[in-house]
Amino acid sequence: MKIAIIGAGWAGMAAGVEATLAGQNATIFEYTKSIGGRARALNSLLPDGTPVLLDNGQHILIGAYTEALRLMRGVGVLPKMALLSQPLRLVFPDGGGLRFAPWPTPLDALAGILGAQGWRLADKWSLLRVAAGWQLSGFQCDTHLSVTSLCTGLSARVMTELIEPLCISALNTPADRASAQVFLRVLKDALFGVQGGSRLLLPRVDLGALFPEAAAQWLTPRGTPVRLGERVTSITRAGRQWQVQGEVFDAVILATSASEAVRLLDQAAAHASEPLVAELAQWTTRARALQFEAITTVYAWGKGAHLPEPMLALRTREAQASQPPAPAQFVFDRGQLGGPPGLLAFVVSASAGTREELQAWVLKQARVQLGLQLQAVQTVVEKRATFACTPGLQRPPSRIAAGLWACGDYVDGPYPATLEGAVRSAMASVAGVLQDTNHQRPTPT
């Protein structure tokens, strides 16, 4: 089969690897000159002029991301070298918070809860009681519940020091409007899915080297070209096949953003038959209904700046009459993760405000909570970083029409907008393409 994959982000590169492993003839189109999409490397400079490699946004993985880890290994990336693995730790600058033990799943979580610093017995008991209820229900709930509603019965400290940081990091949506069912799925896989599922995996290399660039190097000698700087302007139905850039393919996988996929499908509908127009419209209606959240990463540097942990949780605060907001939920010590000493990355999920405002607020937050005087290096704002993972959300499906599929972290699936969600979506789209083709082949007589 000839398969056109449009987009060279994590989903597109994962689809390329899966298709190639299945013995198919894939071609990847990417309109920019770089690979990785919203998880790629950036060139920048420290205040003293030293070149530094940053990421388009600070990402983390967890041990439950089994498919992303499998594909990384498959293209020659060694997770033990590329990722710093440690038990889950949501520790604040004052030393409070949760530290999972280096024990088998789920004893690691139980030990972490019982030993949580600064938590009263009532706090720990509230979490154990409510979590037992989640487990008894099979980690299922009403799909219209928010995470806040799901957590009725938890103490205020457990909400602010565990649930809200976990929710905003996994779903990039505040707990009061985040999907409880998706949150439970992440918890189930992390705490009960696989051994070590809750472990934090912090990248020691830039996000391009972590998978997409390695995938491109693996694909090229295997006959799967990655055509950079080539924007696909249209896709057109050609009988049972599809035409892309004047070339006919048996199937097309859209591994683009939702908005770019809508643009291509609207163009395809202008020259399509009535039944196909209806199929395309059904998909684009769902894609257009998605709402998006921004993520801001503020990179800052200070001579001798160092954190007690590679990653710390921070205490957030809404704007008050006498004080600006403290918007960053997490800070990463890039000096402990393969970067230059003194470089920190502050993450503001579901961010609101201008780039200048967010940068100023975060630098003030660093002075107050970390006691660090830092200089801004670069502030990266991804305005459409992830979809808003709200209760009852109907995401667009993988299958658009015969021979036409979509993949990406926004496509329908059990995971929120994460690297693992993108990879699993890619796997589903390639499997769907192959199944479609098998159904279309005549039965031998």
Side-chain angles (χ1 to χ4, degrees), residues 205-219:
V205 298
D206 67 81
L207 294 173
L210 192 59
F211 171 68
E213 290 173 4
Q217 293 171 6
W218 184 89
L219 287 168

Side-chain angles (χ1 to χ4, degrees), residues 126-429:
S126 74
L127 178 56
L128 291 172
R129 184 181 67 250
V130 172
W134 296 340
Q135 189 177 8
L136 287 173
S137 68
F139 290 92
Q140 298 291 320
C141 71
D142 185 330
T143 57
H144 292 88
L145 273 182
S146 71
V147 171
T148 298
S149 300
L150 174 76
C151 295
T152 300
L154 292 179
S155 71
R157 183 178 289 274
V158 172
M159 284 297 298
T160 58
E161 294 193 359
L162 177 63
I163 299 300
E164 290 172 359
L166 281 181
C167 180
I168 202 72
S169 63
L171 278 64
N172 192 40
T173 307
D176 61 350
R177 53 187 179 88
S179 167
Q181 184 55 66
V182 176
F183 183 68
L184 283 178
R185 172 58 189 263
V186 175
L187 285 184
K188 178 185 177 183
D189 286 2
L191 301 182
F192 297 95
V194 296
Q195 283 298 322
S198 66
R199 291 186 71 84
L200 283 177
L201 305 177
L202 306 179
R204 283 182 166 130
V205 298
D206 67 81
L207 294 173
L210 192 59
F211 171 68
E213 290 173 4
Q217 293 171 6
W218 184 89
L219 287 168
T220 302
R222 288 167 175 80
T224 300
V226 182
R227 290 158 61 168
L228 299 179
E230 189 168 342
R231 187 181 192 192
V232 174
T233 56
S234 65
I235 57 173
T236 308
R237 189 72 155 157
R240 289 189 174 184
Q241 297 173 303
W242 290 88
Q243 193 172 62
V244 179
Q245 303 297 80
E247 189 175 349
V248 175
F249 291 87
D250 299 301
V252 175
I253 297 175
L254 301 181
T256 67
S257 66
S259 59
E260 179 65 7
V262 166
R263 182 191 70 81
L264 287 169
L265 295 180
D266 283 347
Q267 183 279 331
H271 307 282
S273 62
E274 236 176 81
L276 178 57
V277 168
E279 287 184 286
L280 301 182
Q282 188 175 20
W283 194 93
T284 57
T285 297
R286 285 197 181 184
R288 283 191 173 96
L290 293 173
Q291 297 180 337
F292 293 88
E293 301 280 5
I295 297 179
T296 297
T297 304
V298 178
Y299 290 98
W301 179 88
K303 186 175 181 179
H306 179 79
L307 301 180
E309 305 268 350
M311 181 186 89
L312 288 178
L314 296 173
R315 303 202 184 270
T316 59
R317 182 187 63 240
E318 298 292 333
Q320 300 173 0
S322 59
Q323 291 181 308
Q329 296 97 358
F330 297 96
V331 57
F332 296 79
D333 189 339
R334 301 277 289 202
Q336 298 185 50
L337 298 170
L343 180 64
L344 305 182
F346 295 82
V347 177
V348 186
S349 293
S351 62
T354 67
R355 183 190 311 270
E356 293 73 19
E357 287 172 335
L358 288 161
Q359 182 174 288
W361 293 337
V362 166
L363 293 178
K364 174 69 180 296
Q365 189 177 5
R367 289 195 299 271
V368 173
Q369 296 191 25
L370 301 174
L372 295 175
Q373 189 76 32
L374 302 174
Q375 294 177 265
V377 174
Q378 186 165 343
T379 296
V380 181
V381 181
E382 279 282 351
K383 292 185 177 180
R384 295 166 66 90
T386 69
F387 66 90
C389 193
T390 52
L393 176 66
Q394 290 191 319
R395 292 150 66 177
S398 293
R399 189 181 189 275
I400 303 172
L404 184 59
W405 292 73
C407 65
D409 58 12
Y410 67 91
V411 172
D412 192 27
Y415 270 73
T418 58
L419 298 176
E420 179 74 358
V423 167
R424 292 196 182 201
S425 173
M427 294 169 55
S429 66

